[in-house]
Amino acid sequence: MALAAADTSPASAPVSDARLDAEEILALVLARLDDDQAEDVVSIELRGKTTIADYMVVASGRNQRHVGAIAEHLVEALKGLGVKGVRVEGQPACDWVLIDASDVIVHIFQPEVRGFYNIEKMWSAAIPGGPSTLTRG
């Protein structure tokens, strides 16, 4: 009897999780930002230029409540897609929320905070090819 309980046939063995690629995550992020009416969405391809991520997305919300709602909906959608280890910073204040979704890093700002930090300019200047690596969504 004990043998039957210890049976781990291939049919009952867990299937390995397929890892989502950066393009799939980016497509979800851009679609979700569009659905939530994020403003001035910019995606920057980082692949081959840094090891922190393949893409960075920068977007604005109209106010703290809008930034928080965009971030919350995006995190739910990423987790729903199966993205593992999504990390979020800045959500209590919602001036600037950073979402680390593995190969895609998302920054959601209030407009005045985004203007102050201007990270897309910093990253496009640091990347050979400059502004041509920016994609406005």
Side-chain angles (χ1 to χ4, degrees):
M1 294 291 172
L3 255 168
D7 183 23
T8 56
S9 64
S12 65
V15 177
S16 66
D17 292 331
R19 180 171 152 82
L20 297 166
D21 67 12
E23 285 75 23
E24 291 172 309
I25 296 170
L26 178 64
L28 171 79
V29 166
L30 295 175
R32 189 71 244 181
L33 292 173
D34 185 52
D35 288 349
D36 284 337
Q37 299 178 354
E39 299 173 348
D40 200 19
V41 178
V42 175
S43 65
I44 304 168
E45 184 171 357
L46 302 176
R47 186 176 286 143
K49 289 141 178 107
T50 182
T51 58
I52 63 168
D54 290 342
Y55 295 96
M56 178 180 295
V57 178
V58 183
S60 295
R62 293 180 296 277
N63 53 45
Q64 285 180 318
R65 177 174 260 155
H66 190 213
V67 169
I70 292 169
E72 185 178 320
H73 295 158
L74 181 55
V75 169
E76 289 172 5
L78 288 164
K79 288 180 179 180
L81 185 65
V83 178
K84 304 284 186 211
V86 176
R87 293 181 299 277
V88 182
E89 296 289 332
Q91 207 161 16
C94 293
D95 291 332
W96 174 4
V97 178
L98 179 137
I99 301 169
D100 182 349
S102 181
D103 295 327
V104 180
I105 297 173
V106 183
H107 298 272
I108 308 166
F109 289 97
Q110 287 192 59
E112 59 277 1
V113 178
R114 182 176 179 173
F116 179 79
Y117 288 103
N118 203 3
I119 64 170
E120 61 261 46
K121 182 177 180 183
M122 176 179 59
W123 275 96
S124 64
I127 297 173
S132 65
T133 60
L134 296 176
T135 304
R136 295 211 176 259

